[in-house]
Amino acid sequence: MLRTALAALPVLLLATSALAGHVDDAHQGAVKQVVDNPYGLDALWAQGDFVSKGTLIILALMSMASWYILVVKLVEQARMLRHAKAAAAGFWKAASVADGARLLAEDSPFRFVATTGMEAAQHHEGSLTEKIDLHTWVTMSIQRSVGEIVSDLQGGLAVLATVGSTAPFVGLFGTVWGIYHALTAIGIAGQAAIDKVAGPVGEALIMTAFGLAVAVPAVLGYNLLVRRNKLVAEKVRAFAADLHAVLLAGSGGSGNGLRVVR
């Protein structure tokens, strides 16, 4: 039995060596195929000129900016909706406007509106402001605070709109540049051989895909944020209108509830 095993050992070694060589050849072939692929991103970055690389960098920056703004604004809107729910649940049940404002969070926009309205109702003096009646002065103050909140809500939307409208054209510029390279390769070779134009045409198609991939999320995110901003702004305006009525009713009497929150 030992002699049989010793006799089969050379054959086993030869088979193992042949199998290892076959595996190495297959691995090298696969690696070579990936590296030499004219349609891959690695080949595009390695073979592209400064215009192609610059276009890719611009699209990448636009995509990162749009996704960052989308995530940040969604978190901000969710926080404001929570503040709106807290204001609706506790503010109007308080004994006074000041007590209701203390129940709200420090960073709540509803507390900011309430504090602004109370300060306007209490501090209506001065050489110029005293010429304005109390109703108009409180209304102007509350509207300014609401305008500041709505303006903050709209921050970043211009970037999304810009990315959504310009990213396809940036990708189209890369497409035109790739087609230009394809035509140049055809002119140099003197014939439209597929191996001469495969790389530039693949570059053009990738640029088109990147432009669309950047623009579509920006447009969808813009529409989503605008719709949610409208919902939040309506809640803030409704709160401000009710607060305005309460402040004017309190100022007509003894001024109960107009203590300023510090």
Side-chain angles (χ1 to χ4, degrees):
M1 183 174 181
L2 180 60
R3 292 179 179 179
T4 303
L6 292 176
L9 182 59
V11 178
L12 180 61
L13 293 176
L14 290 175
T16 304
S17 177
L19 180 60
H22 178 72
V23 171
D24 291 340
D25 292 340
H27 178 70
Q28 293 176 359
V31 172
K32 186 175 184 300
Q33 182 179 4
V34 173
V35 173
D36 295 340
N37 182 15
Y39 304 100
L41 294 177
D42 294 337
L44 172 60
W45 184 260
Q47 300 173 6
D49 56 6
F50 71 97
V51 177
S52 300
K53 295 180 179 179
T55 303
L56 285 176
I57 292 174
I58 291 174
L59 289 174
L61 293 176
M62 294 172 72
S63 179
M64 289 188 292
S66 61
W67 279 106
Y68 172 79
I69 292 174
L70 178 59
V71 173
V72 170
K73 299 302 292 185
L74 286 175
V75 173
E76 178 183 350
Q77 290 173 347
R79 184 173 63 250
M80 294 191 69
L81 289 175
R82 289 196 301 268
H83 290 319
K85 185 179 295 185
F91 182 84
W92 303 112
K93 297 179 181 179
S96 65
V97 175
D99 293 338
R102 292 191 187 93
L103 298 176
L104 303 178
E106 291 287 342
D107 59 342
S108 174
F110 298 90
R111 176 166 181 162
F112 172 67
V113 174
T115 303
T116 302
M118 286 188 298
E119 290 178 348
Q122 264 196 339
H123 302 285
H124 180 237
E125 69 275 348
S127 58
L128 295 178
T129 58
E130 66 183 3
K131 299 179 181 179
I132 306 175
D133 61 277
L134 181 61
H135 179 278
T136 304
W137 178 249
V138 173
T139 302
M140 292 171 55
S141 300
I142 293 179
Q143 286 180 349
R144 280 195 295 266
S145 63
V146 172
E148 291 181 15
I149 296 172
V150 174
S151 178
D152 291 339
L153 283 174
Q154 295 177 350
L157 295 183
V159 176
L160 289 180
T162 302
V163 171
S165 59
T166 59
F169 296 100
V170 176
L172 181 61
F173 172 78
T175 302
V176 173
W177 193 255
I179 294 175
Y180 164 74
H181 283 174
L183 295 176
T184 303
I186 292 174
I188 294 175
Q191 57 181 352
I194 189 64
D195 59 332
K196 300 296 183 181
V197 300
V201 171
E203 173 185 330
L205 295 176
I206 290 175
M207 290 295 185
T208 303
F210 275 9
L212 295 176
V214 174
V216 171
V219 173
L220 295 178
Y222 175 83
N223 293 332
L224 175 63
L225 293 179
V226 168
R227 183 177 63 83
R228 288 171 61 89
N229 276 351
K230 183 179 179 181
L231 175 62
V232 175
E234 288 177 353
K235 292 182 178 297
V236 174
R237 290 191 179 99
F239 176 84
D242 295 340
L243 176 67
H244 177 265
V246 171
L247 289 175
L248 291 182
S251 64
S254 60
N256 183 32
L258 296 183
R259 298 185 304 273
V260 179
V261 178
R262 298 296 183 185

